[in-house]
């Protein structure tokens, strides 16, 4: 029955006496919404109005008084329960002490949650149906009104006094779960007669805790009360479609607010919650006067992340934090840096403007901006690319065993879009390459449309770096963009109208344009939700090829070779990018990253880059001059993108104050862009004075006309003159309407040559990267040599027979594997494949050696040398000759991937499968200790079969490191395999202990001929600190195992003179003889003759290789 009364009282209209209570009276709703007739308030009776006038002081102005009133820290003494205040007979006079007694006592009443804030002159308007429109002063932190000191607090029938203490503001508990005072309590208290000489208990600014009795302190009362925002509680929260969080289709970005609750909200409440219900994943700042405020869940986040004090006011007596206008930009940047999405609901007019429209006018508000870490275009973004990536997946026919990924990504700061598609297999190697190349800050994808393997790849490759990447699954209804619908949406909305090339040409050139368009549609919908229409309409869109025309390096290879992130802490230290990064300009740094992801396969362009590097290396004066100009350059690419986004921008529709601030920022950006291009053109003009350098650079880059009547230099002078005239003090310039019009005209004229400005930026960036290559070669501690590059085996050279793949490097050293004592790694010679001279050499190298002997370092250094060469950079060696490599495959190290549910052996086999399926004759394959993740015999069998397949079927350049020494016997006489090992030696110990080891193992890190007799694992175990007694026991067990298990490998000893290739030849001859004797043979005489000729050539070639091996 009580529950029914409570529910009915929620809809009961308060009496006029109740409406005329003081603003802090809990019997009146309103919370932070102080009801006046200025913003849609309901007209009360005359008596009610006069009562309000007596009790509510008029505000001085409409500005926010403050958002933070911290409670006192010193606990007060508590009066005894039998204390009686002295009162006069008439109840009018009182002692000085009794006038403040109400600050020290608390009368028992209906239960109140001890964890709730004090009422502080505010209550919940959501529970008051009498207030439909609320004043401008919503969400303000209300102060208790001063009272006459001779007023006493009197109460009847309530005698148990409780202890009172001040506390800090409540910390961030579980959002939305803190109970509040029920409606029933406030309705019952409506009947309490408060006269002018009596003050409500709830007018004080202190919070009170209730206890069961004086003897049990600290024990909170158990209350079962519903929150005034019960639809925010975890047990009741639902999305816009009323789905609960345990529903697979639950949309965490939306919120369901009951219709009856929404109907009873004030206008300002509706402004806030109507937006928040659609942006639950965004921290929303709500503009109130000169303050920005956060409420409820967002207030808790502001309290936790920004250490702001929390008060109870704002939207219906809710939790609130806030900050003034001057501090909002810093607060937004801090939240973005911590990975949050931040939105701003702005006032579209001032309070004076609203009053001018009418006494009951509501100040309109609108969500004008949503910033995320992946779409930020202002502030200190740094030189690294900031990308937002959308991915779609489609399974192809079963016989193809392939998956196609469509993708689209954007750099909002540079105003550039890319779209593309790529085929992949079960290993997700191509998807990994895409993720490593793009390096997104955020990935959006259809969670239901993405396979388990693809989601594992997302988690795997987004965990490789030092910064976290946001994975944002889209609701199913948002992830169903079809290609036709996306085309219509782009056409109707006018997207990409500012692109230098048609968006249709960017899409139509893709092999799988449908899936790519679908991914682009997801990206467009996401950006539209973030209010980034200007980016969509003015952005440049380009096709993106993950592998086309470049050396293929998949995602796992980038991880294994530590291209961008090291394996220690995920940072850039000790990586290829760090070694080559001597760039000065931000655009140069981003171009360097793009070049590293796409090494060239065009010998002509490679040699053009090498020519410029050689010229810069030989001319230190040019290096110095270009460096001086590059230091003056801002981030031209992002500045140009920021200015392009202002063309026909919606910023002019923003409120006056915000629009003025935005225009002031645009003035600064435009002036910085013009001055930056002045430094850039001066740099290019200085380079043109060096005729040879200019000639080489023009072969590599397309440079627009700089001088003359149609040159950019004269064009730029005109803008410099306009800036000096109209914006002389642009840093502190106060923008007027005339200035805004002038700025618009200047920007429109400047953007007419956007293509030429982009070419200038690209040329400067190329010069910066090539200068970085030259510095790396000049300042290197070891030898650096210009590589000599030959075509791949598929190419034909006129009047010259290609002998197949080759990799010949002398004095190779690892560029960033420097020892602790700063000594360079020991240089080694690597020779794989046929040399361009008359000599012939095997393409496969079987490498053995002790643990810690340097095998993995040599393997990585070989791969890095190829990347250096095909980048157009000098190689860390003495001499380098190689034919073009189409793909680099690596299988290095042994580690599991717990986060993606992959065991050590599964990782090995997955990487090996990718090699076997995709490697070609022109590939470079690096396999390190394949098969060690399983049993000895299974591991050896897999290593043997994989190595044999690569040697005899694929025939590519390969380095295969192993501790399975029987393999050296199996392939000792194979004409296509060479055996080498990392040398080591033993040194006698001077401090020999009785019964101890008398020799120390010394690693020489030198590549030597032949196979290593063993891996010396026991010596390495001693070096690692394993007790000598344990190692001694292991030594005895090792000898026993060699005697017993060695019998199984005796056949390998007999294979040293008869390899698997000899077996194939013998089988071929036997097959031919049987075919000749059999009348029903499938081969005719011509086929048999052809087979014999091919076999003869193969034996002859192998014999020549064997002779070379015998001579060496």
């Amino acid at each position: 029955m009580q529950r029914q009364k409570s529910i009915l009282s929620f809809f009961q209209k308060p009496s006029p006496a109740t409406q005329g209570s003081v603003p802090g009276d809990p019997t009146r709703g309103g919370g932070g919404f102080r009801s006046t007739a200025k913003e849609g308030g309901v007209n009360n009776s005359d008596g009610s109005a006069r009562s309000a006038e007596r009790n509510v002081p008029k505000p001085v102005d409409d500005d926010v008084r403050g958002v933070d009133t911290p409670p006192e820290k010193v606990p007060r003494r508590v009066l005894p329960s039998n204390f009686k205040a002295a009162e006069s007979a008439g109840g009018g006079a009182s002692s000085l002490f009794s006038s403040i007694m109400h600050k020290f006592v608390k009368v028992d009443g209906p239960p109140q949650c001890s964890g709730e804030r004090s009422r502080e002159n505010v209550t919940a308007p959501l529970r008051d149906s009498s207030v439909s429109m609320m004043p401008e002063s919503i969400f303000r932190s209300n102060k208790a009104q001063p009272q006459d000191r001779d007023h006493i607090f009197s109460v009847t029938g309530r005698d148990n006094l409780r202890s009172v203490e001040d506390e800090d503001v409540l910390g961030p508990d579980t959002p939305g779960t803190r109970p509040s005072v029920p409606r029933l309590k406030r309705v019952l208290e409506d009947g309490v007669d408060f006269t002018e000489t009596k003050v409500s208990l709830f007018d004080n600014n202190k919070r009170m805790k209730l206890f069961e009795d004086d003897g049990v302190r600290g024990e909170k009362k158990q209350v079962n009360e519903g929150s005034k925002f019960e639809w925010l509680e975890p047990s009741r929260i639902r999305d816009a479609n009323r789905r609960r969080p345990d529903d697979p289709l639950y949309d965490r970005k939306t919120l369901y607010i009951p219709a009856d609750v929404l109907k009873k909200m004030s206008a300002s409440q509706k402004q806030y919650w109507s937006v928040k219900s659609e942006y639950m994943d965004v921290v929303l700042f709500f503009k109130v006067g000169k303050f920005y405020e956060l409420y409820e869940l967002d207030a808790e986040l502001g309290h936790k992340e920004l250490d702001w004090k929390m008060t109870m006011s704002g939207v219906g007596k809710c939790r609130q934090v806030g900050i003034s206008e001057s501090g909002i930009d810093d607060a937004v940047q801090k939240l973005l840096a911590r990975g949050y999405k931040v939105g701003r609901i702005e006032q579209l007019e001032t309070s004076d403007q609203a009053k001018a429209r009418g006494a009951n006018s509501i100040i309109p508000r609108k969500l004008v901006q949503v910033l995320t870490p992946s779409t930020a275009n202002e502030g200190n973004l740094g030189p690294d690319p900031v990308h937002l990536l959308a991915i779609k997946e489609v399974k192809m026919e079963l016989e193809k065993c392939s998956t196609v990924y469509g993708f689209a990504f954007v750099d909002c700061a540079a105003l550039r879009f890319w779209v593309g598609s790529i085929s992949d297999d079960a290993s997700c190697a191509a998807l990994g390459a895409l993720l490593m190349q793009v390096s997104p800050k955020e990935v959006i994808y259809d969670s239901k449309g993405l396979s388990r393997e693809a989601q594992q790849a997302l988690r795997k490759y987004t965990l490789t770096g030092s910064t976290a990447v946001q994975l944002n699954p889209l609701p199913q209804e948002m992830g169903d963009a079809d290609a036709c619908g996306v085309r219509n949406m782009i056409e109707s909305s006018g997207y990409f109208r500012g692109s230098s090339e048609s968006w249709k040409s960017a899409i139509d050139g893709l092999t799988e344009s449908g899936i790519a368009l679908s991914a682009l549609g997801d990206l467009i919908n996401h950006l539209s939700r973030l209010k980034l229409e200007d980016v969509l309409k003015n952005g440049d869109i380009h096709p993106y090829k993950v592998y086309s025309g470049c050396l293929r390096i998949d995602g796992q290879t980038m991880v294994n070779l530590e291209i961008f992130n090291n394996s220690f802490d995920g940072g850039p230290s000790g990586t290829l990018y760090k070694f080559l990064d001597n760039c000065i300009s931000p655009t140069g740094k981003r171009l360097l990253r793009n070049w590293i992801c796409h090494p060239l396969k065009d010998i002509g362009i490679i040699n053009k880059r090498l020519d410029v590097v050689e010229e810069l290396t030989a001319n230190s004066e040019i290096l110095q001059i270009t460096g001086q100009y590059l230091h003056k350059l801002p981030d031209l690419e992002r500045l140009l993108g920021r200015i392009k986004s202002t063309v026909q921008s919606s910023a002019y529709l923003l409120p006056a104050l915000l629009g003025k601030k935005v225009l002031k920022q645009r003035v600064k950006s435009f002036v910085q862009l013009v001055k930056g291009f002045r430094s850039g053109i001066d740099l290019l003009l200085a380079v043109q004075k060096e005729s040879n350098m200019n000639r080489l650079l023009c072969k590599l880059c397309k440079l627009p006309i700089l001088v003359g009547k149609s040159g950019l230099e004269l064009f730029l002078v005109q803008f410099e003159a306009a800036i000096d005239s109209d914006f002389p003090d642009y840093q502190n310039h106060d923008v007027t309407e005339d200035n805004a019009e002038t700025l618009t005209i200047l920007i429109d004229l400047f953007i007419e040559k956007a293509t030429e400005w982009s070419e200038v930026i690209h040329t400067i960036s190329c010069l910066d990267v090539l200068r970085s290559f030259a510095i790396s070669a000049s300042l290197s501690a070891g030898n650096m040599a210009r590589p000599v590059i030959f075509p791949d085996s598929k190419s034909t050279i006129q009047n010259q027979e290609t002998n197949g793949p080759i990799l010949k490097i002398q004095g190779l050293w690892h560029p960033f594997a420097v020892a602790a004592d700063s000594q360079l790694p020991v240089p080694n010679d690597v020779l794989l494949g046929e040399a361009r001279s008359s000599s012939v050499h095997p393409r496969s190298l079987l490498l053995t050696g002790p643990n810690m002997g340097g095998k993995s370092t040599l393997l990585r250094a070989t791969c890095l040398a190829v990347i250096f060469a095909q980048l157009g950079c000098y190689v860390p060696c003495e001499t380098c000759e190689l034919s073009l490599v189409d793909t680099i495959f690596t299988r290095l190290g042994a580690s599991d991937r717990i986060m993606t549910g992959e065991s050590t052996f599964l990782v090995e086999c997955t990487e090996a499968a990718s090699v076997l399926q995709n490697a070609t004759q022109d590939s470079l394959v690096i396999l390190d200790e394949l098969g060690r993740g399983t049993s000895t015999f299974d591991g050896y069998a897999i290593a043997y079969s994989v190595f044999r397949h690569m040697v005899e079927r694929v025939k590519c350049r390969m380095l295969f490191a192993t501790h399975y020494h029987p393999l050296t016997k199996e392939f000792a006489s194979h004409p296509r395999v060479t055996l080498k090992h990392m040398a080591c030696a033993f040194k006698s110990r001077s401090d020999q202990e009785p019964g101890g080891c008398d020799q120390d193992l010394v690693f020489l890190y030198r590549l030597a001929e032949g196979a290593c007799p063993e891996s010396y694992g026991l010596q390495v175990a001693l070096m690692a600190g394993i007790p000598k007694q344990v190692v001694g026991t292991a030594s005895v067990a090792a000898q026993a195992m060699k005697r017993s298990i060695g019998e199984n490998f005796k056949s390998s000893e007999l294979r040293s003179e008869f390899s698997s290739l000899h077996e194939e030849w013998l089988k071929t001859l036997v097959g031919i003889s049987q075919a000749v004797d059999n009348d029903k043979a499938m081969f005719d005489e011509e086929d048999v003759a052809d087979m014999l000729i091919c076999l003869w050539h193969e034996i002859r070639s192998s014999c020549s290789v064997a002779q070379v091996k015998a001579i060496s």
Side-chain angles (χ1 to χ4, degrees), residues 973-1041:
S973 62
H974 201 293
R976 299 178 185 169
V977 178
T978 181
L979 303 182
K980 292 195 176 183
H981 72 279
M982 301 304 296
C984 61
F986 285 92
K987 182 177 69 175
S988 300
R989 298 185 57 176
S990 58
D991 56 345
Q992 179 180 356
E993 298 178 4
C997 182
D998 58 347
Q999 290 182 323
D1000 284 332
L1001 181 64
V1002 178
F1003 303 111
L1004 303 180
Y1005 304 110
R1006 188 180 69 249
L1007 188 62
E1009 294 292 337
C1012 189
E1014 57 178 293
S1015 297
Y1016 304 107
L1018 298 180
Q1019 285 75 10
V1020 175
L1022 282 173
M1023 296 170 61
I1026 294 181
K1028 295 179 180 179
Q1029 182 179 0
V1030 176
V1031 176
T1033 304
S1035 178
V1036 175
Q1039 295 299 325
M1041 292 177 67

Side-chain angles (χ1 to χ4, degrees), residues 449-494:
L450 213 59
S451 65
R452 178 176 175 270
E453 294 79 12
Q455 295 190 41
Q456 288 178 346
L458 284 179
R459 292 192 293 270
K460 168 186 171 183
Y461 291 106
T462 54
L463 290 174
T464 57
S466 57
T467 57
V469 177
Q470 293 184 354
L471 300 180
N472 187 6
L474 297 175
Q476 187 172 9
E477 54 269 20
M478 290 185 63
D480 292 336
D482 63 291
C484 182
V486 174
R487 287 181 181 272
N488 294 334
M489 176 175 58
I490 295 175
E491 290 285 357
S492 61
S493 302

Side-chain angles (χ1 to χ4, degrees), residues 740-770:
E741 185 178 357
T742 301
L743 178 64
T744 303
I745 296 173
L746 289 176
I747 289 177
D748 290 341
L749 292 174
F750 192 87
I751 296 302
E752 288 180 359
K753 291 186 177 293
T755 303
E756 288 83 350
W757 295 127
S758 297
E759 291 174 353
V760 170
I761 294 173
H762 180 70
T763 302
I764 293 174
S765 302
C766 289
L767 181 60
D768 194 9
V769 175
L770 296 173

Side-chain angles (χ1 to χ4, degrees), residues 127 176-181 225-233 236 296:
R127 301 299 187 184
T177 60
R178 191 171 295 126
S180 61
V181 177
E225 303 176 356
S227 168
K228 61 180 77 64
F229 302 106
E230 57 187 16
W231 27 274
L232 278 177
E233 296 179 2
R236 301 186 180 184
E296 278 299 316

Side-chain angles (χ1 to χ4, degrees), residues 373-649:
S374 60
T375 59
N377 56 8
E378 294 181 1
N380 186 18
L381 299 180
D384 295 333
V386 180
H387 290 149
L388 168 64
L389 173 67
I391 294 180
K392 297 283 286 189
E393 178 183 9
V394 172
K395 293 288 186 182
M396 303 302 288
E397 293 80 1
L398 294 179
E399 57 268 17
K400 292 185 179 180
C401 297
S402 177
T403 300
V404 174
Y405 294 102
F407 60 88
F409 61 98
V410 59
D411 184 347
C412 291
L415 218 66
R416 301 187 69 186
F417 288 79
W418 293 269
V419 61
S421 61
I422 189 171
S423 299
D424 205 353
D425 54 22
S427 68
C428 295
L431 177 59
L434 171 67
L435 293 171
M436 294 296 292
Q437 291 177 12
V438 175
S439 185
K441 292 283 186 181
E442 181 182 0
V443 180
I444 57 176
Y445 61 96
D446 180 7
S447 58
K448 300 301 178 183
L450 213 59
S451 65
R452 178 176 175 270
E453 294 79 12
Q455 295 190 41
Q456 288 178 346
L458 284 179
R459 292 192 293 270
K460 168 186 171 183
Y461 291 106
T462 54
L463 290 174
T464 57
S466 57
T467 57
V469 177
Q470 293 184 354
L471 300 180
N472 187 6
L474 297 175
Q476 187 172 9
E477 54 269 20
M478 290 185 63
D480 292 336
D482 63 291
C484 182
V486 174
R487 287 181 181 272
N488 294 334
M489 176 175 58
I490 295 175
E491 290 285 357
S492 61
S493 302
Y495 294 150
F496 309 117
R497 65 190 179 194
S499 180
S500 57
E501 60 177 304
S502 170
W503 66 269
K504 292 182 179 180
S505 62
I507 297 293
D508 295 339
L510 303 176
T511 55
E512 297 289 344
S513 59
I515 183 66
L517 262 176
S518 183
L520 180 61
D522 289 345
L523 183 63
I524 290 174
N525 291 332
H526 185 74
L527 294 177
S528 297
R529 180 175 181 265
L530 299 181
K531 308 298 181 183
L532 294 175
E533 295 291 324
D534 295 338
V535 174
L536 288 168
K537 291 180 179 179
N538 297 291
D540 273 326
I541 186 167
H542 309 277
Y544 187 86
K545 304 292 182 64
V546 177
Y547 286 145
S548 178
C550 66
L551 167 63
R552 296 169 58 115
I553 308 176
D554 61 31
Q556 187 58 49
T557 298
M558 290 188 183
V559 174
N560 290 338
L561 298 180
E562 299 179 311
I563 301 297
F564 297 112
N565 308 103
N566 63 51
S567 57
F568 175 68
D569 59 1
S573 178
T575 62
L576 173 63
Y577 177 78
K578 184 69 174 180
F579 180 81
L580 290 177
D581 182 22
N582 296 293
C583 296
I584 298 175
S585 66
T587 55
K589 291 179 179 293
R590 291 194 291 273
L591 183 62
L592 171 61
R593 181 184 179 91
N594 183 268
W595 281 12
I596 291 177
C597 292
H598 303 89
L600 299 173
K601 289 200 302 182
D602 187 322
I603 295 180
I605 300 179
I606 293 174
N607 285 324
K608 289 177 182 178
R609 289 184 182 178
L610 288 170
D611 291 340
V612 176
V613 173
E614 186 175 13
E615 179 68 19
L616 289 171
T617 305
N619 196 334
S620 59
E621 184 179 355
I622 299 180
L623 282 178
Q624 184 178 0
I625 293 175
T626 54
Q628 292 174 354
Y629 282 106
L630 288 170
H631 277 292
K632 300 178 183 179
L633 295 179
D635 195 333
L636 293 175
E637 184 180 34
R638 286 176 175 167
L639 281 175
L640 181 62
R642 192 177 304 170
I643 294 303
K644 285 180 63 179
S645 66
T646 65
V647 178
Q648 299 181 1
S649 172

